[in-house]
Amino acid sequence: LSRATGVQLRHDLTCLLYRIEEEKAQWIIYVTDVGQTQHFDMFFKAAQKAGFYAGKAKKGKAAAAAAADSAAPAIRVDHVGFGLVLGEDGKRFRTRSSEVVRLVDLLDEAVTRAKQGLVERGREGEWKEEEVNAAAAALGYGAVKYADLKNNRLTNYTFDYDQMLDMKGNTAVYLLYAHARICSIIRKSGKNVQEIVQSGAKLRLDHPSERALALELSRFSEVVESAVQDLLPNTLCEYLYNLSGSFTTFYTNCQVVGNEYEESRLILCEATAVVMRKCFELLGITPLYRL
């Protein structure tokens, strides 16, 4: 153990003890790159041996009895490691002059490109300037956030604007457009879905696509719990993308507006939009209601 490592370990142990005894923390999460995994393994083992905390709860009567006999507090401590962001050359992402790229510059460039895309689709002539800017910000920021979160946090990924801002595939732009399309369907119906629900309208799931979408919606709370417990936000991204796919299949196979089951299918549309918005909120992405 080098002197520098020893100093760092003592510092981390002191901070951990303070968080446990003074701040009464129940769950402590350290977020760094995966290169520090070995350090945190040693740090956590040292803290448990010193009796700072009892560690993660384990299954079984013997483990439960041991935990009950332990004087150390039963709290959870985790290291959330993340991989590297790479450039097109497969090396750590940097500027052409080999300087570290600032996040604010990446975000600004993403917003600029997103706005250019809106202009090319004629939105600048249809919307007010503030609406175009707001949509560009939601698309640009959302694209960068989603690209970072959709991958398993332990793996490296290549930073690519074109891929991030693609309207097809597993991107925030595609998902934001999908949400906006659902909102458009509801507006086109001219009906208030909340009033439909309050009127006691029944939800019919006769078509296989309706049942598949409803089942996907029912998984939401389970997926969120899994993402939190495993500290893997990509789980939620995968769910959001699959949910969008299930809705597309449903809409392709099941006419909504003007159908005899319109009210039931509008409820499915609204439920999908609500769950998508909650996913966006958890991922730090601003939803768009038209695009």
Side-chain angles (χ1 to χ4, degrees), residues 197-208:
V197 173
Q198 292 170 4
S199 70
K202 292 184 179 180
L203 183 64
R204 301 180 63 95
L205 302 174
D206 298 331
H207 194 282

Side-chain angles (χ1 to χ4, degrees), residues 112-127 132-133 136 177:
T112 299
R113 294 189 182 210
K115 184 174 182 177
Q116 182 59 38
L118 292 171
V119 171
E120 290 173 357
R121 287 189 287 277
R123 297 299 183 264
E124 195 171 41
E126 300 172 3
W127 298 354
V132 174
N133 291 336
Y177 268 88

Side-chain angles (χ1 to χ4, degrees), residues 193-245:
V193 181
Q194 294 304 319
E195 291 180 358
I196 293 174
V197 173
Q198 292 170 4
S199 70
K202 292 184 179 180
L203 183 64
R204 301 180 63 95
L205 302 174
D206 298 331
H207 194 282
S209 298
E210 293 174 308
R211 292 194 292 274
L213 177 57
L215 284 172
E216 194 67 29
L217 288 167
S218 71
R219 294 183 55 240
F220 175 63
S221 59
E222 167 194 331
V223 170
V224 172
E225 179 67 19
S226 174
V228 171
Q229 290 301 317
D230 297 336
L231 299 172
L232 292 172
N234 64 293
T235 303
L236 185 60
C237 295
E238 182 180 355
Y239 170 77
L240 178 56
Y241 180 63
N242 289 337
L243 175 62
S244 178

Side-chain angles (χ1 to χ4, degrees), residues 164-192:
M164 290 178 182
L165 295 167
D166 195 340
M167 291 178 60
K168 299 178 182 179
N170 190 8
T171 67
V173 176
Y174 164 76
L175 294 168
L176 287 168
Y177 268 88
H179 174 264
R181 185 170 66 250
I182 297 173
C183 295
S184 175
I185 294 167
I186 296 173
R187 286 195 300 271
K188 183 179 178 182
S189 74
K191 295 185 177 180
N192 187 311

Side-chain angles (χ1 to χ4, degrees), residues 41-137:
D41 285 343
M42 293 190 298
F43 166 35
F44 293 161
K45 288 176 182 177
Q48 290 183 59
K49 280 195 173 185
F52 286 9
Y53 68 100
K56 295 181 182 179
K58 296 181 180 179
K59 298 180 180 180
K61 294 182 179 179
D69 293 337
S70 174
I75 66 171
R76 180 171 170 179
V77 181
D78 287 290
H79 172 227
V80 173
F82 56 85
L84 299 175
V85 181
L86 306 177
E88 294 180 358
D89 58 359
K91 299 179 180 179
R92 187 188 291 266
F93 191 47
R94 296 180 181 276
T95 64
R96 292 181 178 178
S97 57
S98 297
E99 297 177 353
V100 174
V101 181
R102 298 192 309 161
L103 177 58
V104 67
D105 294 332
L106 295 179
L107 295 173
D108 287 347
E109 178 63 19
V111 171
T112 299
R113 294 189 182 210
K115 184 174 182 177
Q116 182 59 38
L118 292 171
V119 171
E120 290 173 357
R121 287 189 287 277
R123 297 299 183 264
E124 195 171 41
E126 300 172 3
W127 298 354
K128 296 179 180 178
E129 183 179 357
E130 55 266 30
E131 291 178 310
V132 174
N133 291 336

